[in-house]
């Protein structure tokens, strides 16, 4: 994964920790390794995975 920032719809950027968590969770969901996920997806696909993860995280935080 490149060290570029992923801008979220609300104007803030995903942290490195959020990006790693999002990709690790997606790899687990696909029953593959983190390395294979990163190797088999484009930067654009990874950015979308991270955006969806952060959006879900915000939704869950609002529900509390």
């Amino acid at each position: 994964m490149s060290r570029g920032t992923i801008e979220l719809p609300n104007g803030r950027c995903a942290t490195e920790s959020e990006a790693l968590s999002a990709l690790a969770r997606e790899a687990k969901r696909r029953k593959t390794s983190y390395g294979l996920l990163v190797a088999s997806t484009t930067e654009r696909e990874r950015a979308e995975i991270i955006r969806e993860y952060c959006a879900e995280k915000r939704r869950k935080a609002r529900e509390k």
Side-chain angles (χ1 to χ4, degrees), residues 4-19:
T5 60
I6 305 298
E7 190 169 331
L8 303 173
N10 63 359
R12 63 180 273 270
C13 295
T15 64
E16 287 286 323
S17 177
E18 288 172 325

Side-chain angles (χ1 to χ4, degrees), residues 2 4 17 21 27-28 30 46-49 53 56 58 64:
S2 75
S17 177
S21 295
K28 185 174 183 178
R30 294 185 187 191
R46 291 189 297 273
E48 188 58 35
I49 291 167
Y53 172 84
E56 182 180 326
R58 282 193 313 276
K64 289 183 177 183

Side-chain angles (χ1 to χ4, degrees), residues 46-63:
R46 291 189 297 273
E48 188 58 35
I49 291 167
I50 294 165
R51 282 187 195 98
E52 289 172 6
Y53 172 84
C54 290
E56 182 180 326
K57 189 175 166 185
R58 282 193 313 276
R59 276 193 304 273
K60 286 182 179 181
R62 279 190 228 132
E63 290 174 359

